[in-house]
Amino acid sequence: MIRPLKDYEPGEFERLHAAGSRILTASNIPALFGKSRFVGQFALAQHLLGTVPLKDISDSPVVLRGKDLEPVTAAKVMKETGWKIDSVFGYAEHPVLGSSALASPDMLAWDPDRDLKDVGIGEGKVVAGPIFEDRWADGPPIDVELQHQFQFRCTGARWGFISALVVGDFRLDLILYRTFPNHEAIELIDEAAAAFLSLLADGKTPDPDTHETSLRALHSLYPNSDPGKILMMDDPQSTELF
């Protein structure tokens, strides 16, 4: 039986994800391992500390498309599997890190062939056809897997699924992957999350990384006030990185 999910109150989702919240969510776990397409670890830390907020993408076409197609995903999963599916808008707190780390699965699932108290969790993605062929050829990408394993950790679920609703010209296909907790991966995620939150608690951040968002955050913190300044790099590692 999974831990009870807390429903998001009006405005709570935005507050928990806002700059300065110091709250780590499942969607940001990939950044801790340098595997996020959307944010670097340094930029994430600056956002959670409130020093350099990330760009708000909540009303972007990709995000809105995903929200609009959530009912379609749920209906297709039910049709394909015979499970009962509920779309949810709530979160579970980490059993050790508490309210500083949260996960919000997209769906809950009941399999009639299992004990109905054994609730599964689902993470649904809407994926353009070419991106699916490129990034999902060997199964769910690592960033999706990391997010989902953190959902297992926070909810305590014992089974679940990742779905890809592949969209394109004359195409609307559901690809379903059954999932289970990977305890070794969860242990690594726990260690990384605890270390990251410990830094934030001390008002510190990880070292800058090369993700585009992290570079933008670094530029915001240290703007170039002398366009003619020359920097000498004697360290071969720095030269190679440049």
Side-chain angles (χ1 to χ4, degrees), residues 61-77 85 87 106-107 124-128 163-168 171-174:
V62 172
V63 172
L64 294 177
R65 180 189 66 177
K67 291 181 179 179
D68 289 344
L69 290 175
E70 282 179 1
V72 177
T73 296
K76 280 183 167 290
V77 173
I85 299 292
S87 297
D106 291 328
M107 291 166 274
K125 301 296 185 185
V126 178
V127 189
S163 65
L165 187 65
V166 186
V167 299
R171 182 177 188 182
L172 189 64
D173 302 325
L174 181 79

Side-chain angles (χ1 to χ4, degrees), residues 30 38 44 48 51 57 89-90 99 112 130 147 176 189 201 207 229 238:
F38 305 107
L44 175 62
L48 296 184
T51 48
I57 60 169
F89 187 55
S99 59
Q147 177 184 4
L176 194 70
I189 293 170
D207 291 335
K229 186 175 182 179
S238 297

Side-chain angles (χ1 to χ4, degrees), residues 4-168:
L5 270 63
K6 299 181 180 179
D7 291 333
Y8 283 111
E9 299 293 336
E12 187 177 16
F13 180 89
E14 292 76 14
R15 178 178 62 80
L16 295 178
H17 291 76
S21 71
R22 301 197 181 204
I23 295 174
L24 185 64
T25 62
S27 60
N28 288 323
I29 291 298
L32 306 187
F33 297 89
K35 299 298 183 181
S36 173
R37 291 176 295 145
F38 305 107
V39 64
Q41 186 175 184
F42 179 78
L44 175 62
Q46 296 296 339
H47 175 79
L48 296 184
L49 288 173
T51 48
V52 184
L54 291 167
K55 182 181 178 182
D56 182 11
I57 60 169
S58 59
D59 60 350
S60 70
V62 172
V63 172
L64 294 177
R65 180 189 66 177
K67 291 181 179 179
D68 289 344
L69 290 175
E70 282 179 1
V72 177
T73 296
K76 280 183 167 290
V77 173
M78 285 192 286
K79 182 178 180 180
E80 181 169 314
T81 63
W83 303 336
K84 180 181 182 298
I85 299 292
D86 274 354
S87 297
V88 293
F89 187 55
Y91 63 92
E93 296 181 353
H94 192 282
V96 176
L97 300 173
S99 59
S100 60
L102 314 173
S104 305
D106 291 328
M107 291 166 274
L108 299 181
W110 291 262
D111 183 350
D113 294 331
R114 304 173 68 107
D115 181 350
L116 293 181
K117 293 182 180 179
D118 189 11
V119 183
I121 57 171
E123 176 61 25
K125 301 296 185 185
V126 178
V127 189
I131 294 177
F132 180 82
E133 302 299 336
D134 179 48
R135 299 191 67 242
W136 292 67
D138 299 319
I142 184 63
D143 56 327
V144 181
E145 293 274 20
L146 287 167
Q147 177 184 4
H148 191 50
Q149 287 299 318
F150 199 66
Q151 292 170 348
F152 275 125
R153 180 65 168 122
C154 292
T155 63
R158 300 194 302 174
W159 68 281
F161 65 93
I162 294 171
S163 65
L165 187 65
V166 186
V167 299

Side-chain angles (χ1 to χ4, degrees), residues 232-242:
M232 300 299 296
M233 295 187 294
D234 297 327
D235 179 4
Q237 184 176 3
S238 297
T239 303
E240 180 182 357
L241 181 59
F242 175 79

